[in-house]
Amino acid sequence: KLVRNCRMNDSTDNVVWKAYLEQNELGHDIIIILPGREKKRIFALGSILAAKAPALIALMNTEVSPKEIDLTSSDLLSSSIKAVLDFVHGAHDTDPPRVALMQDYSALCSTLHAADYCGAQGCKSWVENVIIKEHVSILEPNELRRLTEDARARHADRLYEAAGEELAKRAPVDVLAKTDSQVLAEIVDRHVEKRQRRIQELAVVT
């Protein structure tokens, strides 16, 4: 029964992805107008957005048919919104992924912004993982500072902690001096807590 359900889910996922990829209107009840001069329109499935990018649903104009989400006034990149929509419609749900995984740091940061804007927690978590794994350890200190501050602003908690740890280890004093005061205070607090826990652990051992 479990195997049969998995196959049914796979089949449904494939149908959703194919319709989205080919921009087949069947079942796609929302038009999203992307940022940019071209005002490119793409179809999306309302039930998918409600489940995986609910902040977009709050922006929906229900007084037109089909319903629309107009993102033309957003300062986000059209490509970043498209990356989030690809993700929530199943671009990365197969092995190998239906769409190549992005690795470019700038594109990842833009997609993090878009995912946060859309309320797409799954996409945001995926982007966090890639940045932590592929980029945090090699960023130059000022870039690392900006990433730490941005991760806090986007409520990307795991990325914030990982970037903050790396910043504390590698950043020179002049870079730390430019760091947002709240971020710096939280980094210091975390290190004090870790040091205290380590002292307590050593005390128990001895």
Side-chain angles (χ1 to χ4, degrees):
K1 184 177 180 180
L2 180 59
V3 171
R4 185 168 68 251
N5 286 342
C6 287
R7 286 175 179 168
M8 288 175 63
N9 288 339
D10 289 344
S11 177
T12 301
D13 289 345
N14 287 336
V15 169
V16 168
W17 174 253
K18 185 177 180 181
Y20 170 74
L21 181 66
E22 297 176 355
Q23 289 300 282
N24 184 338
E25 294 186 44
L26 182 62
H28 287 68
D29 53 343
I30 296 176
I31 291 177
I32 297 180
I33 309 172
L34 296 175
R37 293 180 181 177
E38 297 177 357
K39 295 186 178 181
K40 185 177 179 181
R41 294 169 174 246
I42 58 176
F43 290 101
L45 191 63
S47 59
I48 295 292
L49 297 185
K52 298 183 178 182
L56 285 179
I57 294 295
L59 303 175
M60 184 169 60
N61 180 1
T62 59
E63 296 181 359
V64 296
S65 182
K67 296 181 283 291
E68 288 184 355
I69 298 173
D70 187 349
L71 301 179
T72 54
S73 62
S74 166
D75 60 356
L76 296 166
L77 294 177
S78 176
S79 58
S80 300
I81 294 288
K82 179 66 165 53
V84 174
L85 293 174
D86 286 352
F87 185 96
V88 301
H89 282 86
H92 300 170
D93 289 349
T94 54
D95 187 14
R98 297 178 175 112
V99 172
L101 305 180
M102 71 180 76
Q103 297 296 329
D104 177 73
Y105 176 68
S106 178
L108 286 165
C109 288
S110 295
T111 304
L112 181 71
H113 291 195
D116 183 57
Y117 179 87
C118 297
Q121 294 301 322
C123 183
K124 186 162 77 169
S125 179
W126 177 82
V127 173
E128 286 185 75
N129 287 338
V130 177
I131 294 177
I132 291 169
K133 182 180 178 181
E134 303 293 340
H135 296 281
V136 163
S137 65
I138 59 174
L139 290 175
E140 60 93 11
N142 270 309
E143 195 68 55
L144 191 56
R145 172 182 61 80
R146 287 189 286 270
L147 174 64
T148 305
E149 293 171 345
D150 193 51
R152 185 178 188 274
R154 307 293 166 191
H155 306 287
D157 295 338
R158 286 180 298 107
L159 179 57
Y160 176 49
E161 184 170 351
E165 286 289 327
E166 195 70 20
L167 184 67
K169 284 194 296 185
R170 292 200 286 117
V173 174
D174 63 318
V175 172
L176 290 175
K178 300 175 187 175
T179 304
D180 176 85
S181 59
Q182 189 63 45
V183 170
L184 193 58
E186 290 174 358
I187 289 173
V188 171
D189 286 345
R190 281 203 301 269
H191 277 267
V192 169
E193 289 175 7
K194 286 185 176 180
R195 182 174 296 177
Q196 288 175 341
R197 284 200 302 270
R198 182 59 178 160
I199 291 172
Q200 291 171 351
E201 289 169 0
L202 291 172
V204 170
V205 171
T206 55

